[in-house]
Amino acid sequence: MTRRLCSLPRQPAPCFAPGLTAERLGALLAGRRMWVNGTVLHYYLYDGTDGSDGSVIPVPGTGELRRVPWAGGEEQRETVRDAFREWQGLGIGVTFAEVGDRREAELRIGFQAGGGSWSAVGREALSVGRSERTMNLGWDVTGAGERGTVLHEIGHALGMLHEHQSPYAGLHWDDEAVYAELAGPPNFWNRETTYTNVLRELAAGEASGSVWDPQSVMTFPFGPGLVLEPEQYRGGLSPSEGPSPADKEFVLRWYPPAGPAGPPALVPFRSAPLGLGPGEQADFTVEPPETRDYTVGIFGDADTVLVVFEERDGVPRFLGGHDDGGTPDNAAVSVRLVKGRRYVVRVRLYSTWGSGETAVMCW
């Protein structure tokens, strides 16, 4: 029997210069959706205290409308709290805090029955109106086997995508069988929804890693007859109900345990030592004392990808990125920064060539 599955809307892919390797493209793509390490993510659980919280939907076959509340019972809400605690228990550098006012929450979680389970992916949540949900759990998640649903949606909130859509999975689907299976109960998906959430292969840069993880909590469970190849998956996919070792590796790569001082702040003509090893990344903040054009970049013998963005009025804004292409040239991007706003520089280091210090600079 097919289980209820998570349904995400399709998002337009951003455009970057051609010729980037998959790993470098991934650093730029994921840099747009992942949170700044050290962020406190506040979440709000709809509990019915405001009777206006809900969706107005048509009643099939009647032409009438009815309101479906977003509130969840205490047992449902406690299940979500437990799932946040499980992700936190991996030792990640972002933290979760429940709040009683939705206006203070980056993540707003509803429980609209029949509304499907879905979530904004990472920092996409910041572009959702403060009176709207960023996540919905559309069925009873307190039942047996449903713990993975909540962990899966929180994985999306952390910036993770569907693992079964990884280009490294090598899955050859029986497309029409998949469309037919998900068109029926309990999902009732149209072809576009099925394509977006199952059959569409992610770009290499969107994948969580260069090796597919069939045990990932971000992989859908499927019964037999939908996968044609590889042969061992013809009988179906049965992922773990909790974060797998590869899931943990991915989130710790983006969100390593935060240091006591937080990300170093840069002001013009100041530099901060990169302090990274090959394959590592870090976030730095820029605090401009005046409004003008600045150059933000890397100085030293390093092979890096650099991304600069700001968060203003609750909306993420990508300002620029630079890939030095694996050459000894310094990575730098020219951006206009405004006094009083906070900017983030995200750097991923691939290798170093010299023994001198490599630093992040703003001038």
Side-chain angles (χ1 to χ4, degrees):
M1 178 179 178
T2 301
R3 287 180 52 181
R4 297 181 179 95
L5 303 176
C6 162
S7 171
L8 301 182
R10 187 168 185 177
Q11 299 290 339
C15 295
F16 294 102
L20 296 178
T21 66
E23 188 175 16
R24 293 172 182 280
L25 182 60
L28 292 170
L29 285 170
R32 298 168 65 96
R33 71 175 189 265
M34 307 301 286
W35 300 96
V36 175
N37 194 38
T39 296
V40 177
L41 290 176
H42 305 88
Y43 67 90
Y44 173 79
L45 303 174
Y46 286 92
D47 59 4
T49 53
D50 186 338
S52 65
D53 293 332
S55 297
V56 177
I57 64 173
V59 179
T62 67
E64 299 178 352
L65 300 175
R66 67 185 178 98
R67 176 174 288 276
V68 181
W70 294 345
E74 177 57 31
E75 190 175 1
Q76 293 262 73
R77 300 198 302 275
E78 187 58 32
T79 298
V80 176
R81 295 183 187 110
D82 283 342
F84 275 115
R85 285 191 283 266
E86 183 163 347
W87 278 110
Q88 191 74 75
L90 298 180
I92 59 178
V94 295
T95 55
F96 305 108
E98 184 176 359
V99 295
D101 186 339
R102 80 197 67 186
R103 293 171 298 182
E104 299 175 359
E106 293 83 17
L107 311 178
R108 296 174 296 281
I109 303 167
F111 303 85
Q112 180 191 331
S117 287
W118 47 264
S119 174
V121 177
R123 293 170 58 248
E124 291 175 3
L126 297 177
S127 62
V128 178
R130 289 284 174 168
S131 62
E132 298 295 327
R133 296 160 294 167
T134 67
M135 183 189 301
N136 191 70
L137 300 168
W139 53 82
D140 183 4
V141 293
T142 65
E146 292 297 346
R147 167 174 160 269
T149 297
V150 186
L151 292 166
H152 179 103
E153 300 307 338
I154 295 175
H156 283 316
L158 286 169
M160 303 176 75
L161 299 175
H162 285 149
E163 181 68 10
H164 54 274
Q165 294 180 265
S166 168
Y168 306 109
L171 295 175
H172 180 199
W173 300 92
D174 183 335
D175 290 9
E176 291 306 319
V178 174
Y179 282 128
E181 180 76 11
L182 297 181
N187 294 289
F188 300 105
W189 283 359
N190 59 30
R191 292 177 73 91
E192 172 63 21
T193 300
T194 297
Y195 176 77
T196 297
N197 288 277
V198 180
L199 299 177
R200 183 180 76 90
E201 188 175 278
L202 298 175
E206 297 177 286
S208 295
S210 58
V211 177
W212 177 48
D213 176 23
Q215 291 303 305
S216 170
V217 75
M218 305 309 294
T219 294
F220 282 171
F222 287 106
L226 302 181
V227 175
L228 299 176
E229 301 291 341
E231 184 176 354
Q232 65 263 40
Y233 299 113
R234 291 179 184 174
L237 294 173
S238 299
S240 170
E241 285 198 3
S244 69
D247 291 334
K248 179 178 179 178
E249 180 184 352
F250 175 78
V251 292
L252 285 175
R253 186 166 72 246
W254 281 100
Y255 307 124
L266 305 177
V267 294
F269 306 104
R270 296 286 183 88
S271 66
L274 196 60
L276 299 176
E280 295 179 344
Q281 65 188 32
D283 293 327
F284 301 83
T285 59
V286 174
E287 301 172 354
E290 59 181 303
T291 299
R292 64 175 177 84
D293 292 334
Y294 293 86
T295 299
V296 181
I298 305 297
F299 180 81
D301 296 330
D303 174 13
T304 58
V305 168
L306 174 145
V307 179
V308 182
F309 60 87
E310 68 170 321
E311 294 179 1
R312 186 176 76 222
D313 300 328
V315 179
R317 182 185 175 203
F318 175 80
L319 294 183
H322 181 86
D323 176 4
D324 63 17
T327 69
D329 297 333
N330 293 319
V333 60
S334 179
V335 289
R336 186 165 187 80
L337 305 181
V338 178
K339 179 180 179 179
R341 294 181 185 167
R342 180 172 181 267
Y343 300 85
V344 176
V345 182
R346 177 164 289 157
V347 181
R348 184 166 181 80
L349 177 69
Y350 289 95
S351 63
T352 57
W353 294 289
S355 58
E357 180 182 272
T358 300
V360 188
M361 299 186 67
C362 179
W363 66 93

Short mmCIF file of all heavy atoms in Angstrom, two decimals, residues 259-311:
data_model
loop_
_atom_site.label_atom_id
_atom_site.label_comp_id
_atom_site.label_asym_id
_atom_site.label_seq_id
_atom_site.Cartn_x
_atom_site.Cartn_y
_atom_site.Cartn_z
N GLY A 259 30.98 27.86 17.31
CA GLY A 259 31.93 28.27 18.33
C GLY A 259 31.31 29.31 19.25
O GLY A 259 30.29 29.92 18.92
N PRO A 260 31.90 29.57 20.40
CA PRO A 260 31.31 30.50 21.35
C PRO A 260 31.26 31.94 20.85
O PRO A 260 30.41 32.71 21.27
CB PRO A 260 32.24 30.39 22.58
CG PRO A 260 33.54 29.85 22.04
CD PRO A 260 33.14 28.96 20.90
N ALA A 261 32.15 32.29 19.92
CA ALA A 261 32.19 33.68 19.46
C ALA A 261 31.28 33.93 18.26
O ALA A 261 31.02 35.07 17.91
CB ALA A 261 33.62 34.07 19.09
N GLY A 262 30.77 32.88 17.62
CA GLY A 262 29.97 33.06 16.44
C GLY A 262 30.82 33.41 15.24
O GLY A 262 32.05 33.48 15.32
N PRO A 263 30.20 33.67 14.08
CA PRO A 263 30.98 33.98 12.88
C PRO A 263 31.72 35.31 13.01
O PRO A 263 31.17 36.28 13.54
CB PRO A 263 29.91 34.04 11.78
CG PRO A 263 28.62 34.30 12.48
CD PRO A 263 28.75 33.64 13.82
N PRO A 264 32.97 35.37 12.55
CA PRO A 264 33.72 36.63 12.65
C PRO A 264 33.06 37.74 11.83
O PRO A 264 32.50 37.49 10.77
CB PRO A 264 35.09 36.26 12.06
CG PRO A 264 35.15 34.77 12.07
CD PRO A 264 33.73 34.30 11.96
N ALA A 265 33.11 38.95 12.36
CA ALA A 265 32.55 40.09 11.65
C ALA A 265 33.65 40.83 10.90
O ALA A 265 34.76 41.00 11.42
CB ALA A 265 31.86 41.04 12.63
N LEU A 266 33.35 41.28 9.69
CA LEU A 266 34.31 42.02 8.88
C LEU A 266 33.82 43.45 8.70
O LEU A 266 32.65 43.68 8.42
CB LEU A 266 34.44 41.37 7.50
CG LEU A 266 34.79 39.89 7.44
CD1 LEU A 266 34.79 39.42 6.00
CD2 LEU A 266 36.15 39.65 8.06
N VAL A 267 34.70 44.39 8.86
CA VAL A 267 34.41 45.77 8.50
C VAL A 267 35.43 46.16 7.43
O VAL A 267 36.41 45.46 7.21
CB VAL A 267 34.52 46.71 9.72
CG1 VAL A 267 33.43 46.38 10.72
CG2 VAL A 267 35.89 46.61 10.36
N PRO A 268 35.21 47.23 6.69
CA PRO A 268 36.13 47.57 5.59
C PRO A 268 37.58 47.64 6.04
O PRO A 268 37.90 48.15 7.12
CB PRO A 268 35.61 48.92 5.12
CG PRO A 268 34.15 48.87 5.43
CD PRO A 268 34.05 48.12 6.72
N PHE A 269 38.46 47.12 5.19
CA PHE A 269 39.90 47.09 5.38
C PHE A 269 40.32 46.16 6.52
O PHE A 269 41.46 46.18 6.95
CB PHE A 269 40.47 48.50 5.61
CG PHE A 269 40.08 49.46 4.54
CD1 PHE A 269 39.11 50.41 4.76
CD2 PHE A 269 40.68 49.40 3.29
CE1 PHE A 269 38.74 51.30 3.76
CE2 PHE A 269 40.31 50.29 2.30
CZ PHE A 269 39.34 51.23 2.52
N ARG A 270 39.40 45.36 7.02
CA ARG A 270 39.74 44.37 8.02
C ARG A 270 39.67 42.98 7.38
O ARG A 270 38.93 42.76 6.42
CB ARG A 270 38.76 44.41 9.20
CG ARG A 270 38.79 45.71 9.98
CD ARG A 270 40.04 45.80 10.85
NE ARG A 270 40.04 47.03 11.65
CZ ARG A 270 39.48 47.12 12.85
NH1 ARG A 270 38.86 46.09 13.37
NH2 ARG A 270 39.55 48.26 13.49
N SER A 271 40.41 42.05 7.93
CA SER A 271 40.37 40.69 7.41
C SER A 271 40.21 39.71 8.55
O SER A 271 40.53 40.02 9.70
CB SER A 271 41.66 40.37 6.62
OG SER A 271 42.77 40.34 7.49
N ALA A 272 39.69 38.55 8.23
CA ALA A 272 39.54 37.47 9.20
C ALA A 272 40.20 36.22 8.63
O ALA A 272 39.96 35.88 7.46
CB ALA A 272 38.07 37.19 9.50
N PRO A 273 41.05 35.53 9.39
CA PRO A 273 41.67 34.32 8.88
C PRO A 273 40.61 33.31 8.48
O PRO A 273 39.61 33.12 9.17
CB PRO A 273 42.48 33.81 10.08
CG PRO A 273 42.69 35.01 10.94
CD PRO A 273 41.48 35.87 10.76
N LEU A 274 40.84 32.67 7.34
CA LEU A 274 39.86 31.72 6.83
C LEU A 274 39.72 30.54 7.79
O LEU A 274 38.61 30.11 8.11
CB LEU A 274 40.27 31.24 5.44
CG LEU A 274 39.21 30.55 4.60
CD1 LEU A 274 38.02 31.45 4.37
CD2 LEU A 274 39.80 30.12 3.26
N GLY A 275 40.83 29.99 8.24
CA GLY A 275 40.80 28.95 9.25
C GLY A 275 40.08 27.69 8.82
O GLY A 275 39.48 27.00 9.66
N LEU A 276 40.12 27.36 7.53
CA LEU A 276 39.42 26.18 7.02
C LEU A 276 40.40 25.19 6.43
O LEU A 276 41.47 25.55 5.95
CB LEU A 276 38.42 26.57 5.94
CG LEU A 276 37.28 27.52 6.33
CD1 LEU A 276 36.45 27.86 5.09
CD2 LEU A 276 36.40 26.90 7.40
N GLY A 277 40.01 23.93 6.45
CA GLY A 277 40.73 22.89 5.75
C GLY A 277 40.03 22.56 4.45
O GLY A 277 38.87 22.94 4.23
N PRO A 278 40.67 21.85 3.53
CA PRO A 278 40.03 21.48 2.27
C PRO A 278 38.71 20.74 2.49
O PRO A 278 38.61 19.86 3.33
CB PRO A 278 41.08 20.57 1.62
CG PRO A 278 42.38 21.02 2.21
CD PRO A 278 42.07 21.40 3.62
N GLY A 279 37.69 21.20 1.75
CA GLY A 279 36.37 20.61 1.87
C GLY A 279 35.51 21.23 2.94
O GLY A 279 34.34 20.87 3.08
N GLU A 280 36.05 22.20 3.70
CA GLU A 280 35.29 22.83 4.78
C GLU A 280 34.76 24.19 4.31
O GLU A 280 35.21 24.76 3.33
CB GLU A 280 36.17 23.01 6.01
CG GLU A 280 36.63 21.71 6.64
CD GLU A 280 37.51 21.92 7.84
OE1 GLU A 280 38.02 23.05 8.04
OE2 GLU A 280 37.70 20.96 8.60
N GLN A 281 33.78 24.71 5.04
CA GLN A 281 33.21 26.00 4.72
C GLN A 281 32.85 26.73 6.00
O GLN A 281 32.74 26.13 7.08
CB GLN A 281 31.98 25.85 3.83
CG GLN A 281 30.83 25.15 4.50
CD GLN A 281 29.73 24.85 3.53
OE1 GLN A 281 29.97 24.60 2.36
NE2 GLN A 281 28.51 24.84 3.99
N ALA A 282 32.64 28.04 5.89
CA ALA A 282 32.30 28.86 7.05
C ALA A 282 31.57 30.10 6.59
O ALA A 282 31.64 30.50 5.42
CB ALA A 282 33.56 29.23 7.84
N ASP A 283 30.83 30.72 7.52
CA ASP A 283 30.13 31.97 7.28
C ASP A 283 30.83 33.10 8.03
O ASP A 283 31.32 32.92 9.15
CB ASP A 283 28.68 31.88 7.76
CG ASP A 283 27.85 30.91 6.94
OD1 ASP A 283 28.11 30.80 5.73
OD2 ASP A 283 26.95 30.27 7.51
N PHE A 284 30.87 34.28 7.41
CA PHE A 284 31.43 35.47 8.01
C PHE A 284 30.40 36.59 7.83
O PHE A 284 29.66 36.60 6.84
CB PHE A 284 32.75 35.86 7.34
CG PHE A 284 33.80 34.79 7.41
CD1 PHE A 284 33.80 33.75 6.50
CD2 PHE A 284 34.78 34.81 8.40
CE1 PHE A 284 34.77 32.75 6.54
CE2 PHE A 284 35.74 33.82 8.47
CZ PHE A 284 35.74 32.78 7.54
N THR A 285 30.33 37.53 8.75
CA THR A 285 29.39 38.64 8.62
C THR A 285 30.13 39.91 8.23
O THR A 285 31.29 40.11 8.57
CB THR A 285 28.63 38.88 9.93
OG1 THR A 285 29.55 39.17 10.97
CG2 THR A 285 27.82 37.65 10.31
N VAL A 286 29.42 40.76 7.48
CA VAL A 286 29.95 42.06 7.08
C VAL A 286 29.06 43.13 7.69
O VAL A 286 27.83 43.07 7.57
CB VAL A 286 29.99 42.20 5.54
CG1 VAL A 286 30.40 43.61 5.15
CG2 VAL A 286 30.94 41.19 4.95
N GLU A 287 29.69 44.10 8.36
CA GLU A 287 28.96 45.18 9.01
C GLU A 287 29.45 46.51 8.45
O GLU A 287 30.40 47.11 8.97
CB GLU A 287 29.18 45.11 10.52
CG GLU A 287 28.71 43.78 11.12
CD GLU A 287 29.10 43.62 12.58
OE1 GLU A 287 29.84 44.50 13.10
OE2 GLU A 287 28.68 42.63 13.20
N PRO A 288 28.85 47.00 7.36
CA PRO A 288 29.36 48.22 6.71
C PRO A 288 29.07 49.48 7.53
O PRO A 288 27.92 49.70 7.94
CB PRO A 288 28.61 48.24 5.38
CG PRO A 288 27.35 47.48 5.65
CD PRO A 288 27.71 46.41 6.63
N PRO A 289 30.06 50.32 7.77
CA PRO A 289 29.84 51.56 8.51
C PRO A 289 29.26 52.68 7.65
O PRO A 289 28.85 53.71 8.17
CB PRO A 289 31.24 51.93 9.01
CG PRO A 289 32.14 51.36 7.97
CD PRO A 289 31.48 50.10 7.49
N GLU A 290 29.26 52.49 6.33
CA GLU A 290 28.70 53.48 5.43
C GLU A 290 28.15 52.78 4.20
O GLU A 290 28.50 51.64 3.90
CB GLU A 290 29.75 54.51 5.03
CG GLU A 290 30.96 53.90 4.34
CD GLU A 290 31.99 54.94 3.97
OE1 GLU A 290 31.62 55.88 3.23
OE2 GLU A 290 33.16 54.81 4.39
N THR A 291 27.27 53.46 3.49
CA THR A 291 26.67 52.90 2.28
C THR A 291 27.55 53.23 1.08
O THR A 291 27.78 54.40 0.78
CB THR A 291 25.26 53.47 2.06
OG1 THR A 291 24.43 53.12 3.17
CG2 THR A 291 24.64 52.93 0.78
N ARG A 292 28.06 52.20 0.42
CA ARG A 292 28.88 52.39 -0.78
C ARG A 292 29.16 51.03 -1.40
O ARG A 292 28.72 49.99 -0.90
CB ARG A 292 30.18 53.12 -0.45
CG ARG A 292 31.12 52.35 0.47
CD ARG A 292 32.43 53.12 0.64
NE ARG A 292 33.36 52.51 1.56
CZ ARG A 292 34.20 51.53 1.25
NH1 ARG A 292 34.21 51.01 0.02
NH2 ARG A 292 35.03 51.03 2.16
N ASP A 293 29.89 51.05 -2.51
CA ASP A 293 30.31 49.80 -3.15
C ASP A 293 31.54 49.25 -2.43
O ASP A 293 32.48 49.99 -2.12
CB ASP A 293 30.65 50.04 -4.63
CG ASP A 293 29.41 50.39 -5.44
OD1 ASP A 293 28.31 49.98 -5.04
OD2 ASP A 293 29.55 51.06 -6.48
N TYR A 294 31.51 47.94 -2.18
CA TYR A 294 32.62 47.26 -1.50
C TYR A 294 33.08 46.08 -2.34
O TYR A 294 32.32 45.55 -3.17
CB TYR A 294 32.19 46.73 -0.13
CG TYR A 294 31.86 47.78 0.89
CD1 TYR A 294 30.59 48.33 0.96
CD2 TYR A 294 32.81 48.21 1.80
CE1 TYR A 294 30.26 49.29 1.91
CE2 TYR A 294 32.50 49.18 2.77
CZ TYR A 294 31.22 49.71 2.81
OH TYR A 294 30.92 50.66 3.75
N THR A 295 34.29 45.67 -2.10
CA THR A 295 34.79 44.41 -2.63
C THR A 295 34.93 43.45 -1.47
O THR A 295 35.58 43.76 -0.47
CB THR A 295 36.13 44.59 -3.34
OG1 THR A 295 35.97 45.50 -4.43
CG2 THR A 295 36.64 43.25 -3.87
N VAL A 296 34.30 42.29 -1.59
CA VAL A 296 34.37 41.25 -0.58
C VAL A 296 35.05 40.05 -1.23
O VAL A 296 34.64 39.63 -2.32
CB VAL A 296 32.98 40.87 -0.05
CG1 VAL A 296 33.10 39.80 1.03
CG2 VAL A 296 32.26 42.10 0.48
N GLY A 297 36.09 39.54 -0.60
CA GLY A 297 36.77 38.44 -1.26
C GLY A 297 37.75 37.70 -0.39
O GLY A 297 37.83 37.91 0.83
N ILE A 298 38.51 36.85 -1.05
CA ILE A 298 39.52 36.01 -0.41
C ILE A 298 40.90 36.48 -0.84
O ILE A 298 41.13 36.74 -2.02
CB ILE A 298 39.35 34.53 -0.82
CG1 ILE A 298 37.93 34.06 -0.53
CG2 ILE A 298 40.36 33.64 -0.10
CD1 ILE A 298 37.55 34.08 0.92
N PHE A 299 41.78 36.61 0.12
CA PHE A 299 43.15 36.99 -0.18
C PHE A 299 44.06 35.86 0.29
O PHE A 299 44.04 35.48 1.45
CB PHE A 299 43.53 38.29 0.52
CG PHE A 299 44.94 38.74 0.24
CD1 PHE A 299 45.25 39.40 -0.94
CD2 PHE A 299 45.96 38.47 1.14
CE1 PHE A 299 46.54 39.81 -1.21
CE2 PHE A 299 47.25 38.86 0.88
CZ PHE A 299 47.55 39.54 -0.30
N GLY A 300 44.85 35.30 -0.63
CA GLY A 300 45.75 34.22 -0.28
C GLY A 300 45.73 33.10 -1.30
O GLY A 300 45.01 33.17 -2.29
N ASP A 301 46.53 32.08 -1.07
CA ASP A 301 46.67 30.97 -2.01
C ASP A 301 45.63 29.90 -1.71
O ASP A 301 45.90 28.91 -1.02
CB ASP A 301 48.07 30.36 -1.91
CG ASP A 301 49.14 31.36 -2.33
OD1 ASP A 301 48.83 32.20 -3.18
OD2 ASP A 301 50.26 31.29 -1.79
N ALA A 302 44.42 30.12 -2.19
CA ALA A 302 43.34 29.17 -1.91
C ALA A 302 42.42 29.03 -3.11
O ALA A 302 42.24 29.96 -3.89
CB ALA A 302 42.54 29.62 -0.69
N ASP A 303 41.85 27.85 -3.25
CA ASP A 303 40.87 27.53 -4.28
C ASP A 303 39.51 27.53 -3.60
O ASP A 303 39.20 26.64 -2.79
CB ASP A 303 41.20 26.14 -4.86
CG ASP A 303 40.15 25.65 -5.83
OD1 ASP A 303 39.30 26.45 -6.25
OD2 ASP A 303 40.18 24.45 -6.17
N THR A 304 38.67 28.55 -3.90
CA THR A 304 37.45 28.76 -3.12
C THR A 304 36.26 29.10 -4.00
O THR A 304 36.41 29.53 -5.15
CB THR A 304 37.63 29.91 -2.11
OG1 THR A 304 37.99 31.10 -2.84
CG2 THR A 304 38.70 29.61 -1.09
N VAL A 305 35.08 28.94 -3.42
CA VAL A 305 33.83 29.51 -3.92
C VAL A 305 33.30 30.43 -2.83
O VAL A 305 33.29 30.07 -1.65
CB VAL A 305 32.79 28.41 -4.25
CG1 VAL A 305 31.42 29.02 -4.49
CG2 VAL A 305 33.22 27.63 -5.49
N LEU A 306 32.86 31.62 -3.23
CA LEU A 306 32.42 32.64 -2.29
C LEU A 306 31.02 33.11 -2.68
O LEU A 306 30.76 33.34 -3.86
CB LEU A 306 33.42 33.79 -2.29
CG LEU A 306 33.11 35.06 -1.50
CD1 LEU A 306 34.42 35.62 -0.94
CD2 LEU A 306 32.45 36.12 -2.40
N VAL A 307 30.11 33.23 -1.70
CA VAL A 307 28.75 33.70 -1.93
C VAL A 307 28.46 34.81 -0.93
O VAL A 307 28.79 34.69 0.25
CB VAL A 307 27.71 32.56 -1.75
CG1 VAL A 307 26.30 33.09 -1.95
CG2 VAL A 307 27.99 31.43 -2.72
N VAL A 308 27.83 35.91 -1.39
CA VAL A 308 27.44 37.02 -0.52
C VAL A 308 25.93 37.20 -0.62
O VAL A 308 25.37 37.25 -1.71
CB VAL A 308 28.14 38.33 -0.93
CG1 VAL A 308 27.75 39.46 0.03
CG2 VAL A 308 29.65 38.15 -0.96
N PHE A 309 25.27 37.30 0.55
CA PHE A 309 23.84 37.56 0.53
C PHE A 309 23.45 38.36 1.76
O PHE A 309 24.22 38.50 2.72
CB PHE A 309 23.02 36.27 0.45
CG PHE A 309 23.22 35.29 1.58
CD1 PHE A 309 22.48 35.40 2.74
CD2 PHE A 309 24.13 34.26 1.47
CE1 PHE A 309 22.64 34.50 3.77
CE2 PHE A 309 24.31 33.35 2.49
CZ PHE A 309 23.56 33.48 3.65
N GLU A 310 22.24 38.92 1.72
CA GLU A 310 21.71 39.64 2.87
C GLU A 310 20.31 39.11 3.17
O GLU A 310 19.68 38.46 2.33
CB GLU A 310 21.63 41.14 2.59
CG GLU A 310 20.61 41.52 1.54
CD GLU A 310 20.36 43.03 1.46
OE1 GLU A 310 20.34 43.68 2.52
OE2 GLU A 310 20.19 43.53 0.35
N GLU A 311 19.85 39.40 4.38
CA GLU A 311 18.47 39.08 4.75
C GLU A 311 17.83 40.38 5.21
O GLU A 311 18.19 40.94 6.23
CB GLU A 311 18.44 38.01 5.83
CG GLU A 311 18.97 36.68 5.34
CD GLU A 311 18.96 35.60 6.40
OE1 GLU A 311 18.53 35.89 7.53
OE2 GLU A 311 19.39 34.47 6.11
#
